[in-house]
Every structure is written in structure tokens, then in C-alpha cells.
Amino acid sequence: MPPKSSKKPAPAPFSTAKSSKVTKNPLFEATPRNFGIGGDIQPKRDLTRFLKWPAYVRLQRQKVILHQRLKVPPSIAQFAHTLDKNTATQLYKLLNKYRYVTSLPFHFVPGQRNCLQSRDEAAEEGSP
């Protein structure tokens, strides 16, 4: 066993020396505040959560929370993001040009007569 040395270890570098006690001014005593009935005034608190918010604000917040909580299948979720009116009318005009021509009654094809009229005329020509 090594012999015990009577030397003190070296102090840690940049150590914070114990500061002397700050003398308190006896004119200003720190007493705990009493917030009970008849005591000190309560501190101001943030009460925005407890306000009566307008109905549209409450509804839009509830809607956001429901959308976060619900797991909506994609076949239904596609209707949550629809086109605005201008884009929809442009799309319908474009799709109308490429519409499939069917033999439905009163279906108008540009450059031809009504399907019913053309059918009636064909039937009259074929009859004796």
C-alpha cells in the first residue's frame, strides 16, 4: 500500500471562487405574498383558452382537429380537395369537346341533326 501524502491536491483551473455573501438592505424585506382571500392581488394569467370564441372560429378549429384524428379512406378524401369554379368550367369545356357520342335521344352532335329526327327520317324512308 502506498503511503498517504499530506499534500493537498491542486485546485481546479478556472474554478469559481466562493463569492462573499451579499449584504441585504434591512429597509427592503422579502416577505412571501399571500394570495388567499383578502390577501395580495393575484398575478395576471393568460385566459385566451377560456374566452368564448365566435362560432366560426370554434367550427374551423374543430374541423381541423377532426381531420387530424380521423383516418379517411382515399376514395372519400378525394372530395375534400375540389376545383374552384373557374377551373371547373374550363375543365368541363375541354371535356365537352372530347365527349363520347351516344345514341341517347335529344343528343346533339355538331354538324348533324338531332338523333331522334334522323331516326324518324330513316324509318319513313324504309317504310313503303
Side-chain angles (χ1 to χ4, degrees), residues 10-52:
F14 304 111
S15 66
T16 55
K18 291 182 181 178
S19 61
S20 63
K21 282 192 169 183
V22 179
T23 57
K24 292 183 180 179
N25 191 344
L27 295 177
F28 303 104
E29 290 184 23
T31 56
R33 296 200 292 180
N34 178 21
F35 293 122
I37 296 174
D40 294 326
I41 297 173
Q42 299 244 343
K44 295 288 181 187
R45 291 186 177 88
D46 185 20
L47 301 175
T48 53
R49 260 195 86 194
F50 306 108
L51 286 177
K52 182 165 184 181

Short mmCIF file of all heavy atoms in Angstrom, two decimals, residues 10-52:
data_model
loop_
_atom_site.label_atom_id
_atom_site.label_comp_id
_atom_site.label_asym_id
_atom_site.label_seq_id
_atom_site.Cartn_x
_atom_site.Cartn_y
_atom_site.Cartn_z
N ALA A 10 -4.06 19.98 -6.19
CA ALA A 10 -4.04 21.31 -6.80
C ALA A 10 -5.47 21.74 -7.10
O ALA A 10 -6.33 20.92 -7.44
CB ALA A 10 -3.24 21.29 -8.09
N PRO A 11 -5.76 23.04 -6.97
CA PRO A 11 -7.12 23.50 -7.28
C PRO A 11 -7.41 23.38 -8.77
O PRO A 11 -6.51 23.46 -9.60
CB PRO A 11 -7.12 24.95 -6.81
CG PRO A 11 -5.70 25.37 -6.86
CD PRO A 11 -4.89 24.15 -6.56
N ALA A 12 -8.70 23.16 -9.09
CA ALA A 12 -9.11 23.04 -10.49
C ALA A 12 -8.92 24.37 -11.18
O ALA A 12 -9.17 25.43 -10.60
CB ALA A 12 -10.56 22.61 -10.57
N PRO A 13 -8.45 24.34 -12.46
CA PRO A 13 -8.25 25.61 -13.16
C PRO A 13 -9.59 26.28 -13.45
O PRO A 13 -10.59 25.62 -13.70
CB PRO A 13 -7.54 25.19 -14.44
CG PRO A 13 -7.91 23.77 -14.64
CD PRO A 13 -8.08 23.21 -13.26
N PHE A 14 -9.58 27.59 -13.46
CA PHE A 14 -10.76 28.42 -13.74
C PHE A 14 -11.94 28.06 -12.84
O PHE A 14 -13.07 28.09 -13.24
CB PHE A 14 -11.20 28.31 -15.21
CG PHE A 14 -10.12 28.66 -16.17
CD1 PHE A 14 -9.53 27.70 -16.98
CD2 PHE A 14 -9.66 29.96 -16.26
CE1 PHE A 14 -8.53 28.03 -17.86
CE2 PHE A 14 -8.67 30.30 -17.15
CZ PHE A 14 -8.09 29.34 -17.95
N SER A 15 -11.68 27.67 -11.65
CA SER A 15 -12.79 27.34 -10.76
C SER A 15 -13.39 28.63 -10.23
O SER A 15 -12.73 29.65 -10.09
CB SER A 15 -12.30 26.48 -9.59
OG SER A 15 -11.41 27.25 -8.80
N THR A 16 -14.69 28.55 -9.96
CA THR A 16 -15.36 29.74 -9.45
C THR A 16 -15.12 29.81 -7.95
O THR A 16 -15.46 28.89 -7.21
CB THR A 16 -16.88 29.68 -9.72
OG1 THR A 16 -17.38 28.47 -9.18
CG2 THR A 16 -17.16 29.72 -11.21
N ALA A 17 -14.56 30.89 -7.57
CA ALA A 17 -14.29 31.07 -6.15
C ALA A 17 -15.59 31.40 -5.44
O ALA A 17 -16.49 32.02 -6.02
CB ALA A 17 -13.27 32.19 -5.94
N LYS A 18 -15.73 30.97 -4.22
CA LYS A 18 -16.94 31.25 -3.47
C LYS A 18 -17.02 32.74 -3.22
O LYS A 18 -16.11 33.35 -2.67
CB LYS A 18 -16.95 30.50 -2.15
CG LYS A 18 -17.10 29.00 -2.32
CD LYS A 18 -17.14 28.32 -0.98
CE LYS A 18 -17.27 26.82 -1.15
NZ LYS A 18 -17.25 26.14 0.12
N SER A 19 -18.15 33.33 -3.71
CA SER A 19 -18.29 34.76 -3.52
C SER A 19 -18.76 35.04 -2.10
O SER A 19 -19.47 34.24 -1.49
CB SER A 19 -19.31 35.34 -4.52
OG SER A 19 -20.55 34.74 -4.30
N SER A 20 -18.36 36.17 -1.63
CA SER A 20 -18.77 36.53 -0.28
C SER A 20 -20.26 36.85 -0.28
O SER A 20 -20.82 37.25 -1.29
CB SER A 20 -17.95 37.73 0.22
OG SER A 20 -18.24 38.84 -0.62
N LYS A 21 -20.92 36.68 0.84
CA LYS A 21 -22.35 36.91 0.93
C LYS A 21 -22.66 38.37 0.65
O LYS A 21 -21.96 39.27 1.10
CB LYS A 21 -22.87 36.54 2.30
CG LYS A 21 -23.03 35.06 2.50
CD LYS A 21 -23.82 34.81 3.76
CE LYS A 21 -24.22 33.37 3.83
NZ LYS A 21 -25.05 33.11 5.00
N VAL A 22 -23.74 38.58 -0.13
CA VAL A 22 -24.17 39.93 -0.43
C VAL A 22 -24.97 40.42 0.77
O VAL A 22 -25.87 39.74 1.24
CB VAL A 22 -25.04 39.95 -1.71
CG1 VAL A 22 -25.51 41.36 -2.01
CG2 VAL A 22 -24.27 39.37 -2.88
N THR A 23 -24.61 41.60 1.21
CA THR A 23 -25.33 42.12 2.37
C THR A 23 -26.70 42.63 1.93
O THR A 23 -26.83 43.29 0.90
CB THR A 23 -24.54 43.27 3.02
OG1 THR A 23 -24.32 44.28 2.04
CG2 THR A 23 -23.21 42.78 3.55
N LYS A 24 -27.72 42.28 2.67
CA LYS A 24 -29.08 42.68 2.33
C LYS A 24 -29.37 44.02 3.00
O LYS A 24 -28.91 44.30 4.11
CB LYS A 24 -30.08 41.65 2.82
CG LYS A 24 -29.99 40.34 2.08
CD LYS A 24 -31.05 39.38 2.56
CE LYS A 24 -30.97 38.08 1.82
NZ LYS A 24 -31.98 37.13 2.28
N ASN A 25 -30.17 44.80 2.30
CA ASN A 25 -30.58 46.08 2.85
C ASN A 25 -31.72 45.84 3.83
O ASN A 25 -32.74 45.25 3.47
CB ASN A 25 -31.03 47.01 1.72
CG ASN A 25 -31.22 48.43 2.18
OD1 ASN A 25 -31.31 48.69 3.39
ND2 ASN A 25 -31.29 49.34 1.24
N PRO A 26 -31.60 46.25 5.05
CA PRO A 26 -32.66 45.97 6.02
C PRO A 26 -33.93 46.77 5.77
O PRO A 26 -34.99 46.44 6.32
CB PRO A 26 -32.03 46.37 7.36
CG PRO A 26 -30.96 47.33 7.00
CD PRO A 26 -30.47 46.95 5.65
N LEU A 27 -33.89 47.76 4.87
CA LEU A 27 -35.08 48.55 4.59
C LEU A 27 -36.07 47.78 3.71
O LEU A 27 -37.28 48.02 3.75
CB LEU A 27 -34.72 49.87 3.91
CG LEU A 27 -33.90 50.85 4.76
CD1 LEU A 27 -33.55 52.08 3.93
CD2 LEU A 27 -34.70 51.27 5.98
N PHE A 28 -35.55 46.88 2.88
CA PHE A 28 -36.41 46.11 1.96
C PHE A 28 -36.39 44.65 2.38
O PHE A 28 -35.45 43.92 2.11
CB PHE A 28 -35.91 46.25 0.52
CG PHE A 28 -35.83 47.66 0.04
CD1 PHE A 28 -34.61 48.30 -0.06
CD2 PHE A 28 -36.98 48.34 -0.30
CE1 PHE A 28 -34.54 49.61 -0.50
CE2 PHE A 28 -36.91 49.65 -0.73
CZ PHE A 28 -35.69 50.29 -0.84
N GLU A 29 -37.44 44.23 3.06
CA GLU A 29 -37.53 42.84 3.49
C GLU A 29 -38.35 42.06 2.46
O GLU A 29 -39.39 42.52 2.01
CB GLU A 29 -38.20 42.74 4.85
CG GLU A 29 -37.35 43.27 5.99
CD GLU A 29 -38.01 43.06 7.33
OE1 GLU A 29 -38.88 42.16 7.43
OE2 GLU A 29 -37.68 43.80 8.26
N ALA A 30 -37.89 40.86 2.11
CA ALA A 30 -38.61 40.00 1.19
C ALA A 30 -39.55 39.12 2.00
O ALA A 30 -39.12 38.21 2.68
CB ALA A 30 -37.66 39.15 0.39
N THR A 31 -40.84 39.42 1.90
CA THR A 31 -41.82 38.61 2.61
C THR A 31 -42.64 37.85 1.57
O THR A 31 -42.94 38.38 0.50
CB THR A 31 -42.77 39.49 3.45
OG1 THR A 31 -43.39 40.44 2.59
CG2 THR A 31 -42.02 40.20 4.56
N PRO A 32 -43.00 36.62 1.84
CA PRO A 32 -43.80 35.86 0.88
C PRO A 32 -45.19 36.48 0.75
O PRO A 32 -45.77 36.95 1.73
CB PRO A 32 -43.86 34.47 1.47
CG PRO A 32 -43.54 34.63 2.91
CD PRO A 32 -42.66 35.84 3.03
N ARG A 33 -45.72 36.46 -0.48
CA ARG A 33 -47.03 37.05 -0.72
C ARG A 33 -48.12 36.04 -0.40
O ARG A 33 -47.96 34.84 -0.65
CB ARG A 33 -47.15 37.51 -2.17
CG ARG A 33 -46.16 38.63 -2.49
CD ARG A 33 -46.54 39.40 -3.70
NE ARG A 33 -46.44 38.63 -4.93
CZ ARG A 33 -46.73 39.11 -6.14
NH1 ARG A 33 -47.11 40.36 -6.26
NH2 ARG A 33 -46.63 38.37 -7.20
N ASN A 34 -49.23 36.54 0.07
CA ASN A 34 -50.37 35.71 0.43
C ASN A 34 -51.47 35.98 -0.59
O ASN A 34 -52.04 37.06 -0.63
CB ASN A 34 -50.85 36.06 1.84
CG ASN A 34 -52.07 35.25 2.22
OD1 ASN A 34 -52.31 34.21 1.65
ND2 ASN A 34 -52.81 35.74 3.19
N PHE A 35 -51.78 34.97 -1.41
CA PHE A 35 -52.80 35.12 -2.45
C PHE A 35 -54.16 34.63 -1.99
O PHE A 35 -55.07 34.48 -2.79
CB PHE A 35 -52.39 34.37 -3.72
CG PHE A 35 -51.18 34.96 -4.38
CD1 PHE A 35 -50.05 34.19 -4.59
CD2 PHE A 35 -51.17 36.28 -4.79
CE1 PHE A 35 -48.95 34.73 -5.20
CE2 PHE A 35 -50.06 36.82 -5.40
CZ PHE A 35 -48.95 36.05 -5.60
N GLY A 36 -54.34 34.36 -0.74
CA GLY A 36 -55.62 33.90 -0.23
C GLY A 36 -56.64 35.02 -0.21
O GLY A 36 -56.39 36.14 -0.66
N ILE A 37 -57.81 34.73 0.32
CA ILE A 37 -58.89 35.72 0.37
C ILE A 37 -58.45 36.87 1.26
O ILE A 37 -57.99 36.67 2.38
CB ILE A 37 -60.19 35.08 0.90
CG1 ILE A 37 -60.66 34.01 -0.08
CG2 ILE A 37 -61.26 36.13 1.12
CD1 ILE A 37 -61.84 33.21 0.39
N GLY A 38 -58.61 38.08 0.75
CA GLY A 38 -58.22 39.26 1.50
C GLY A 38 -56.74 39.53 1.46
O GLY A 38 -56.27 40.46 2.10
N GLY A 39 -55.98 38.73 0.71
CA GLY A 39 -54.53 38.92 0.65
C GLY A 39 -54.13 39.74 -0.55
O GLY A 39 -54.82 40.67 -0.97
N ASP A 40 -52.99 39.40 -1.11
CA ASP A 40 -52.43 40.16 -2.22
C ASP A 40 -53.24 39.93 -3.50
O ASP A 40 -54.00 38.96 -3.63
CB ASP A 40 -50.98 39.74 -2.46
CG ASP A 40 -50.09 40.13 -1.29
OD1 ASP A 40 -50.37 41.19 -0.70
OD2 ASP A 40 -49.15 39.39 -0.98
N ILE A 41 -53.04 40.84 -4.49
CA ILE A 41 -53.72 40.72 -5.78
C ILE A 41 -53.07 39.60 -6.57
O ILE A 41 -51.84 39.49 -6.63
CB ILE A 41 -53.64 42.06 -6.54
CG1 ILE A 41 -54.37 43.14 -5.74
CG2 ILE A 41 -54.21 41.92 -7.93
CD1 ILE A 41 -54.20 44.52 -6.32
N GLN A 42 -53.91 38.78 -7.19
CA GLN A 42 -53.40 37.64 -7.96
C GLN A 42 -52.67 38.12 -9.21
O GLN A 42 -53.04 39.15 -9.79
CB GLN A 42 -54.56 36.75 -8.38
CG GLN A 42 -55.31 36.17 -7.22
CD GLN A 42 -55.21 34.67 -7.15
OE1 GLN A 42 -54.85 34.04 -8.13
NE2 GLN A 42 -55.49 34.12 -6.01
N PRO A 43 -51.65 37.40 -9.65
CA PRO A 43 -50.95 37.80 -10.88
C PRO A 43 -51.83 37.57 -12.11
O PRO A 43 -52.72 36.72 -12.11
CB PRO A 43 -49.72 36.88 -10.91
CG PRO A 43 -50.10 35.72 -10.07
CD PRO A 43 -51.04 36.22 -9.03
N LYS A 44 -51.57 38.34 -13.16
CA LYS A 44 -52.35 38.22 -14.40
C LYS A 44 -52.01 36.90 -15.08
O LYS A 44 -50.84 36.52 -15.18
CB LYS A 44 -52.04 39.38 -15.35
CG LYS A 44 -52.44 40.73 -14.83
CD LYS A 44 -53.95 40.88 -14.84
CE LYS A 44 -54.35 42.25 -14.33
NZ LYS A 44 -55.79 42.36 -14.18
N ARG A 45 -53.05 36.23 -15.54
CA ARG A 45 -52.86 34.96 -16.22
C ARG A 45 -53.35 35.07 -17.66
O ARG A 45 -54.17 35.92 -17.99
CB ARG A 45 -53.63 33.86 -15.50
CG ARG A 45 -53.06 33.53 -14.15
CD ARG A 45 -53.77 32.33 -13.55
NE ARG A 45 -53.20 31.97 -12.28
CZ ARG A 45 -53.58 32.49 -11.11
NH1 ARG A 45 -54.52 33.40 -11.07
NH2 ARG A 45 -53.02 32.09 -9.99
N ASP A 46 -52.86 34.16 -18.50
CA ASP A 46 -53.29 34.12 -19.91
C ASP A 46 -54.60 33.35 -19.98
O ASP A 46 -54.63 32.13 -19.80
CB ASP A 46 -52.21 33.45 -20.76
CG ASP A 46 -52.56 33.49 -22.22
OD1 ASP A 46 -53.39 34.33 -22.61
OD2 ASP A 46 -52.02 32.67 -22.99
N LEU A 47 -55.70 34.05 -20.24
CA LEU A 47 -57.02 33.43 -20.23
C LEU A 47 -57.59 33.25 -21.63
O LEU A 47 -58.80 33.08 -21.78
CB LEU A 47 -57.99 34.29 -19.40
CG LEU A 47 -57.59 34.51 -17.94
CD1 LEU A 47 -58.56 35.46 -17.28
CD2 LEU A 47 -57.57 33.18 -17.21
N THR A 48 -56.77 33.25 -22.68
CA THR A 48 -57.28 33.16 -24.05
C THR A 48 -57.98 31.83 -24.31
O THR A 48 -58.88 31.75 -25.13
CB THR A 48 -56.15 33.34 -25.07
OG1 THR A 48 -55.09 32.43 -24.76
CG2 THR A 48 -55.62 34.76 -25.04
N ARG A 49 -57.56 30.77 -23.61
CA ARG A 49 -58.22 29.48 -23.80
C ARG A 49 -59.65 29.50 -23.32
O ARG A 49 -60.49 28.75 -23.80
CB ARG A 49 -57.47 28.40 -23.03
CG ARG A 49 -56.55 27.57 -23.88
CD ARG A 49 -56.14 26.33 -23.16
NE ARG A 49 -57.12 25.28 -23.36
CZ ARG A 49 -57.16 24.17 -22.66
NH1 ARG A 49 -56.32 23.97 -21.69
NH2 ARG A 49 -58.05 23.24 -22.91
N PHE A 50 -59.96 30.33 -22.34
CA PHE A 50 -61.26 30.31 -21.70
C PHE A 50 -62.20 31.38 -22.24
O PHE A 50 -63.28 31.55 -21.69
CB PHE A 50 -61.09 30.47 -20.19
CG PHE A 50 -60.13 29.47 -19.61
CD1 PHE A 50 -58.87 29.86 -19.19
CD2 PHE A 50 -60.47 28.14 -19.52
CE1 PHE A 50 -57.99 28.94 -18.67
CE2 PHE A 50 -59.59 27.21 -18.99
CZ PHE A 50 -58.35 27.60 -18.57
N LEU A 51 -61.80 32.06 -23.30
CA LEU A 51 -62.68 33.04 -23.91
C LEU A 51 -63.83 32.33 -24.63
O LEU A 51 -63.71 31.17 -25.00
CB LEU A 51 -61.93 33.87 -24.96
CG LEU A 51 -60.96 34.91 -24.46
CD1 LEU A 51 -60.27 35.56 -25.65
CD2 LEU A 51 -61.68 35.98 -23.68
N LYS A 52 -64.93 33.03 -24.82
CA LYS A 52 -65.99 32.50 -25.67
C LYS A 52 -65.70 32.96 -27.09
O LYS A 52 -65.93 34.11 -27.45
CB LYS A 52 -67.36 32.99 -25.22
CG LYS A 52 -68.46 32.40 -26.07
CD LYS A 52 -69.81 32.54 -25.47
CE LYS A 52 -70.80 31.81 -26.36
NZ LYS A 52 -72.16 31.91 -25.88
#
